[in-house]
Amino acid sequence: MSKTETTLGAADKVVKPNSLTEANPAGTWRDYLTLAKMGIVISNLITVFAGSFLAIKYNHLLFMDKLAVLSLAVLGSALVIAGGCSLNNYIDRDIDGLMERTKERPTVTGKIEANQALWMGIILSALGVIFLAMTTLTAAVFGLIGLFVYVAVYTMWLKRTHSINTVIGGISGAMPPLIGWAAVDPGLAHTAWILFLIMFLWQPPHFLALAMKRCEEYRNAGIPMLPVVSGFKMTKRQMIWYVSALIPVSLYLYPFGKVYTILAAIMGLCWLALGLSGLRSTNDIKWARQMFVYSLNYLTILFVAMILVNI
């Protein structure tokens, strides 16, 4: 029996959706914000804004002239992401109850009914796509692609069947800066695709660090994350390779100037050094936690720097 089959065998422990406490929902506005995963929404909006801002800058447009477009891009992206997260909560309510990190989600506790989560996800996603279409059809198409990959390909299929889920799911997570750029410039200069690649390569080391931290929870829930299926050594090597590939891609934006280039190089090399230290670490969970926190700081600082050096 393969490691994957062993892991998936744990799915027998998964509770059925109709066994969840949904008889007396009493969801508050905080529960609905939790359902939409506002932390994820806000962090992604930084990259949406960066994409739009850089498109305005490199197409020699006036910021104030494109303020309405930028606002629609941010709002539309926020709604699509929130809708996708709501649908993720609806779909995963059977396995969320098996993990410490997700067992208090309102779709698990019954504070929000499953059908409410479903319709919330559908309505928010539809509104978001409409707002994006009010900028350009290209932005709306990218929004739909990101939504489809996250909900159908990642959540409904790969998350439950294959350890490659983190990589393929990264396509949806890399869409925000592309959506932001396309809202202003549907022609998509090569810089827009570099932003996409940065986001795509950033996600595996970020989410694999989380998977290492929560390895036993994923194992108990029957989710074949890479640390569960292939162990920590393989996971560490994969993370190092992705960070190594991210460094030259981030430096491809050297036209942003010396400040950005030096900052990107230093942050990338420090992340690589931290990654390599994991090969001899005696505390894998502590190291994974450090990698996770560093990845968050790296992405935020990098994209904020992109904006500041181009003002």
Side-chain angles (χ1 to χ4, degrees), residues 122-151:
I122 292 173
I123 292 171
L124 290 180
S125 299
L127 287 174
V129 172
I130 290 172
F131 281 127
L132 291 178
M134 292 171 66
T135 61
T136 67
L137 289 178
T138 304
V141 168
F142 283 142
L144 282 171
I145 292 174
L147 182 67
F148 176 79
V149 172
Y150 180 64
V151 174

Side-chain angles (χ1 to χ4, degrees), residues 180-230:
W181 191 293
V184 175
D185 172 27
L188 296 173
H190 74 280
T191 301
W193 293 105
I194 297 301
L195 298 178
F196 172 85
L197 282 176
I198 288 174
M199 288 294 296
F200 180 77
L201 293 170
W202 170 84
Q203 286 176 98
H206 170 74
F207 286 109
L208 288 176
L210 176 62
M212 287 181 64
K213 288 171 55 183
R214 302 288 183 175
C215 182
E216 292 309 310
E217 293 183 39
Y218 282 117
R219 191 189 310 279
N220 290 335
I223 303 173
M225 300 298 286
L226 186 63
V228 176
V229 174
S230 301

